[in-house]
Amino acid sequence: MASGNPLAAQNKYGHMNYGNLLEQVPELEKGNTQLETYRNQLIKQGKERATKWEKDVQTFQTKAQAGEMTGLQIKQAEDKLGKEQQAIAALEKEVVDKITKKRDEILKPIIAKVNAAVQAVGKENGYSMIFDSSLYNFILSSEDTDDVTPLVKKKLGL
């Protein structure tokens, strides 16, 4: 009788660097370009608004220092500028949220495609488990595992 774990002989394990493979999927580069364009559009809108606010602040300060405004006008201008500053801050958060959402929309089908290829390779080649070696310290030893990256790349047409 052979020594060792008899269950180990029944299982076949694979590994791959998921992150590296994902970077090779052409749709990811296209998606990153779309995301960058979208991000730049949102940032441009926010910068225009912030630039206008800065000009309004300078105009206010100039008029207030020159004594061209009454106390009530100063108070009203300060309130208006404060509200606009808060709106710009809220817009910044909204931009981050929109970019995150757009990134998720772009990545979801790409990740689904890669996951389907990994699942298919696992099933077609009899792997019990395929580990992601891109995760730090996730695989401590891979002597008894196969690198399935070439199989997944072939399945993806890469």
Side-chain angles (χ1 to χ4, degrees), residues 8-16 117-131 142-152 155:
Q10 298 173 8
N11 294 316
K12 186 175 174 184
Y13 301 104
H15 68 274
M16 61 178 287
V118 172
Q119 293 293 322
V121 164
K123 188 176 255 186
E124 291 167 7
N125 295 282
Y127 287 100
S128 300
M129 288 186 221
I130 297 177
F131 297 95
S142 64
E143 290 178 23
D144 295 332
T145 66
D146 300 327
D147 183 356
V148 298
T149 305
L151 297 171
V152 176
K155 180 67 68 180

Side-chain angles (χ1 to χ4, degrees), residues 37-53 84 87-88 91-92 94-95 98:
T37 301
Y38 181 70
R39 184 182 78 79
N40 289 340
Q41 289 170 348
L42 293 175
I43 288 174
K44 181 181 176 193
Q45 293 169 1
K47 280 185 179 180
E48 289 170 356
R49 192 166 177 182
T51 300
K52 182 187 178 316
W53 177 80
E84 181 62 11
I88 290 170
L91 180 64
E92 288 175 0
E94 183 181 325
V95 165
K98 284 181 175 181

Side-chain angles (χ1 to χ4, degrees), residues 1 8 19 30 33 48 53 61 74 80 97 99-100 121 136:
M1 180 176 230
K30 180 181 170 191
T33 301
E48 289 170 356
W53 177 80
Q61 289 173 339
I74 290 173
K80 182 180 177 183
D97 292 345
I99 291 170
T100 300
V121 164
Y136 180 71

Side-chain angles (χ1 to χ4, degrees), residues 58-128:
Q58 289 173 350
T59 300
F60 161 71
Q61 289 173 339
T62 301
K63 287 183 176 183
Q65 289 173 355
E68 298 175 12
M69 299 177 80
T70 66
L72 179 60
Q73 289 173 325
I74 290 173
K75 173 75 171 117
Q76 289 172 337
E78 287 174 341
D79 288 346
K80 182 180 177 183
L81 291 170
K83 287 178 184 175
E84 181 62 11
Q85 185 178 27
Q86 290 173 348
I88 290 170
L91 180 64
E92 288 175 0
K93 183 186 179 319
E94 183 181 325
V95 165
V96 170
D97 292 345
K98 284 181 175 181
I99 291 170
T100 300
K101 184 178 178 184
K102 184 74 166 177
R103 184 180 146 274
D104 291 345
E105 287 174 16
I106 290 170
L107 283 178
K108 191 174 183 178
I110 296 168
I111 290 172
K113 177 182 174 179
V114 172
N115 286 346
V118 172
Q119 293 293 322
V121 164
K123 188 176 255 186
E124 291 167 7
N125 295 282
Y127 287 100
S128 300

